[in-house]
Amino acid sequence: MTTELLKAGTLSRAVEVSLDLERRVTLEPIMSHPDYRMNLRPLGTPRGVSTVAGPHDIGASPGDKKSKNKSTRGKKKSIFETYMFKEDVSEGLKRGTLIQGVLRINPKKFHEAFIPSPDGDRDIFIDGVVARNRALNGDLVVVKLLPEEQWKVVKPENNDKETEAAYESDIPEELCGRHLPQQSLKSYNDSPDVIIEAQFDGSDSEDGHGITQNVLVDDVKKLSVCVSEKGREDGDAPVTKDETTCISQDTRALPEKSLQRSAKVVYILEKKHSRAATGFLKLLADKNSELFRKYALFSPSDHRVPRIYVPLKDCPQDFVARPKDYANTLFICRIVDWKEDCNFALGQLAKSLGQAGEIEPETEGILTEYGVDFSDFSSEVLECLPQGLPWTIPPEEFSKRRDLRKDCIFTIDPSTARDLDDALSCKPLADGNFEVGVHIADVSYFVPEGSDLDKVAAERATSVYLVQKVVPMLPRLLCEELCSLNPMSDKLTFSVIWTLTPEGKILDEWFGRTIICSCTKLSYEHAQSMIESPTEKIPVKELPPISPEHSSEEVHQAVLNLHQIAKQLRQQRFADGALRLDQLKLAFTLDHETGLPQGCHIYEYRDSNKLVEEFMLLANMAVAHKIHRAFPEQALLRRHPPPQTRMLNDLVEFCDQTGLPVDFSSAGALNKSLTQTFGDDKYSLARKEVLTNMCSRPMQMALYFCSGLLQDPAQFRHYALNVPLYTHFTSPIRRFADVLVHRLLAAALGYREQLDMAPDTLQKQADHCNDRRMASKRVQELSTGLFFAVLVKESGPLESEAMVMGVLNQAFDVLVLRYGVQKRIYCNALALRSHHFQKVGKKPELTLVWEPEDMEQEPAQQVITIFSLVEVVLQAESTALKYSAILKRPDTHGHLGPEKEEEEEEESDGEPEDSSTS
């Protein structure tokens, strides 16, 4: 197929490139630079750092018009501060006068940003675009605290401020358990060890870009945003001064608790944001300006990214004459510069994606924005793979490995999974104990250190699971054939084998390289049916093929034995103080021809999932101890810091005020509180979900780290699992961290020489794995949000009961029970006569007074508090992929209408706990 160009038929100096020839359209100014490619950056280039010094052949930037005048008279005044010198930054960080942290911009109020406080106290507030000083979301920045009189005033009566937690979930997978990936259209699936964390939908409440104007406040130049109601696509209430009060004339009289430290960015240590954005092209407003003749305005869909000037000569040829033809065309733009004297950044148009609202263009935009390399693997990488196919295990490997091919070993995965990287075995012993094995694909055998394959895997760091497909870390030949533990096929593995009592007590432990031959590929449904029918023989037609050496009864009994041991392990884990924060996950059914979502459901997390989860956790903990004993300075481990202190204290105070019986003294105490039943009615699970969501806000991310670079072993701990050492070993097909751990384990066992990686080099790779893991998780969440938005657009409006999760001054957040999504409902989008916000103690309360449909009726009052049950309607908006939630009008007494009660009973028959999407 030939490349489709933009509507104009051509683009100025457009060229076809080899990546994705069927759809890719790029522009020569970007592609002409040898290092500046859309998806395949040169290895070693920090992600998000442009290798282009500036735009090619586009003349001075919009901010340069007067800067070339040697006279200072009339010179354009800088909006942003010049960054500090690197030496001064290093000295300031050492002295403690400067603070570094990852910048989080609030997606619901893009003028608000935060970095974590190093002491775990309330996050440090950064107010406005000017104070952010051209840093973007996710960048590692250095900030300087402002004088105390410029700190943010946190008004206790004002509940419309956002929490400091970014609305991109930070909950580590170990808190959520082990979930299935989303079944995909093309059957590209993750192993069952993947977990998609909480799915916050941040797309519904972003402030629209409005008119920007510079305002001087106490001699600090600030950029305020004025948004008209007409331009507010989301129906958000206007941002008022009360909501964002940051400067107080006299803060000395205020109690300390009502102030939040505020700061400004003085340096960007690492540009982790990709500097790419999807969005729309517009003409500049002032047709008579010099800029109008040279530049168009690129408006990013993500309002946390600034608007960008792009050269007109890089736009479609007829864009100026027919701008409306491109009103719904999605483009990708990359920021190449952002000068001190310019409100907006300067960028280059990279490509046209297609029509906004269509799944593939939107998906490609998401991947590009988050720096996911989705290009085809290069010929150099593919040459690293075995060339003679079909490949067979070399004879010398049999002498180096323990041969387990005759053992009853099997996989348990989603029914459509194709990359199977873990298998299980359970052999009963004569003394009543069991020999239990976890067998993991030996990916490191096929990925030589220092090879092109190794480099690209290290750079990608993780596979990225979307609703409809996967972007793999490794070529498919490895993922789905050579490494995948497919049944009735000899495979190279790395195993952990224990002798366990029926109660799960470890009597003996063995690590080693092995060869297995899986006897069958069980789905979670198969394993679940075996668990639920312990004494009944499963009909052969309901089971997958099983190798002749083993019977279905043998496999069935092994599953039952594993289940019984897993129950004991799980019970002991939580008795020892582990925490689990389950959150609802969506799974979609897709049309095989169109790829569009036909429906969705909340995925149920069952005993078969828990079975596999327990043994993967056990293996990961065992390997963590093994490699740390062998290499105390060089072990790649995974830690989970405790919750942020101030946010946790706020939550404790809130729960005390509202009478919620939650004990936050430890992970185990919190888990015990959350597992207590919240009543015995059909909404008890919904109440638990709301509280779980509240408890997830103070949680921090789990992180890979090198043991040699953390002095205090107490910092090694994993808060959620409540264990001293943990790592990732069980998913090397999709996580590069696991490949490194396999190499460390092999060295610890004497299979190979010690890893040739200094601790600081290993830490850099760990940091990169952390970055890519967070990006991957966010992409997965956005993919889920995209498909749900399409479902609302195609099938909506959708009605459901919802439970209130949070109450603000002019809006409230709900958990939509049927679909497990979270949404904000705005008062100004409802037919209200008035609304009133107040706090009863710490408990926020919003009273809605509805306009009566019949003028003879009295207006209905509805009181909205946390845990209130309401009826909502999800409906598509005019913009391509936005959907909003509105409240159904109650009857005159403020209750749900009786016409819904029968349907509500039907909806509550199931007990949705979890879903899984990857």
Side-chain angles (χ1 to χ4, degrees), residues 555-670:
V555 173
H556 191 164
Q557 190 57 53
V559 169
L560 291 176
N561 291 338
L562 287 170
H563 170 59
Q564 292 302 324
I565 298 170
K567 281 202 302 184
Q568 297 292 327
L569 289 171
R570 187 178 187 82
Q571 184 179 333
Q572 189 59 49
R573 246 187 349 105
F574 288 111
D576 290 341
L579 168 66
R580 181 186 178 87
L581 291 179
D582 279 330
Q583 293 192 299
L584 304 179
K585 315 292 187 302
L586 268 182
F588 293 88
T589 52
L590 305 182
D591 185 293
H592 285 269
E593 292 183 4
T594 66
L596 294 174
Q598 293 177 315
C600 66
H601 60 278
I602 294 172
Y603 186 81
E604 186 180 357
Y605 186 67
R606 298 187 291 180
D607 286 336
S608 55
N609 304 80
K610 296 173 185 177
L611 181 162
V612 181
E613 176 189 349
E614 286 308 315
F615 291 107
M616 298 305 118
L617 288 171
L618 197 65
N620 285 334
M621 288 186 277
V623 171
H625 284 274
K626 184 71 175 178
I627 62 174
H628 185 250
R629 281 196 301 269
F631 307 115
E633 300 294 312
Q634 206 186 9
L636 181 67
L637 302 174
R638 186 163 170 83
R639 66 190 181 94
H640 181 215
Q644 295 181 44
T645 309
R646 176 57 73 94
M647 290 182 69
L648 189 64
N649 290 341
D650 288 348
L651 185 58
V652 169
E653 196 173 348
F654 174 83
C655 288
D656 287 345
Q657 288 279 349
T658 52
L660 292 171
V662 184
D663 182 353
F664 292 95
S665 60
S666 67
L670 176 55

Side-chain angles (χ1 to χ4, degrees), residues 809-821:
N809 285 7
Q810 305 180 64
F812 54 96
D813 294 326
V814 296
L815 171 69
V816 184
L817 300 185
R818 182 185 289 182
Y819 305 107
V821 299

Side-chain angles (χ1 to χ4, degrees), residues 185-201:
L185 180 65
K186 297 182 179 180
S187 301
Y188 296 148
N189 287 84
D190 193 6
S191 78
D193 198 23
V194 70
I195 291 158
I196 291 295
E197 288 87 350
Q199 297 180 15
F200 296 108
D201 183 0

Side-chain angles (χ1 to χ4, degrees), residues 725-872:
L725 296 174
Y726 189 68
T727 194
H728 274 165
F729 163 76
T730 53
S731 293
I733 289 178
R734 65 181 179 88
R735 293 187 304 225
F736 190 72
D738 300 54
V739 176
L740 292 174
V741 168
H742 276 229
R743 290 171 180 168
L744 284 164
L745 181 59
L749 296 172
Y751 288 125
R752 50 159 289 164
E753 71 286 350
Q754 190 170 341
L755 204 62
D756 185 21
M757 236 181 187
D760 58 343
T761 306
L762 188 59
Q763 182 60 50
K764 285 179 182 176
Q765 183 63 55
D767 291 340
H768 181 67
C769 287
N770 291 329
D771 292 341
R772 298 320 305 155
R773 190 169 181 78
M774 276 304 295
S776 167
K777 185 158 68 70
R778 183 58 179 151
V779 166
Q780 292 168 1
E781 291 169 354
L782 289 170
S783 177
T784 298
L786 166 65
F787 271 78
F788 189 71
V790 171
L791 184 67
V792 174
K793 182 182 174 184
E794 298 293 323
S795 309
L798 305 177
E799 295 187 7
S800 172
E801 286 180 292
M803 188 165 281
V804 176
M805 307 181 73
V807 181
L808 310 176
N809 285 7
Q810 305 180 64
F812 54 96
D813 294 326
V814 296
L815 171 69
V816 184
L817 300 185
R818 182 185 289 182
Y819 305 107
V821 299
Q822 298 165 28
K823 207 66 183 165
R824 178 159 292 178
I825 295 176
Y826 298 96
C827 293
N828 65 2
L830 305 175
L832 300 180
R833 177 170 291 182
S834 64
H835 60 272
H836 172 66
F837 174 84
Q838 64 177 355
K839 278 195 172 181
V840 181
K842 280 279 180 179
K843 189 176 182 180
E845 189 174 279
L846 191 60
T847 301
L848 311 180
V849 181
W850 290 81
E851 283 284 5
E853 291 181 288
D854 187 337
M855 295 307 294
E856 295 179 2
Q857 290 180 329
E858 287 293 314
Q861 280 201 5
Q862 191 172 10
V863 178
I864 303 295
T865 60
I866 292 175
F867 299 123
S868 290
L869 198 64
V870 297
E871 282 275 344
V872 299

Side-chain angles (χ1 to χ4, degrees), residues 448-481:
E449 277 183 80
S451 65
D452 289 324
L453 177 59
D454 185 42
K455 290 174 183 175
V456 78
E459 177 64 13
R460 293 193 179 202
T462 181
S463 295
V464 179
Y465 291 87
L466 307 167
V467 170
Q468 78 278 31
K469 60 186 176 183
V470 65
V471 180
M473 181 180 79
L474 296 167
R476 295 208 178 281
L477 177 62
L478 283 185
C479 294
E480 299 174 8
E481 293 183 40

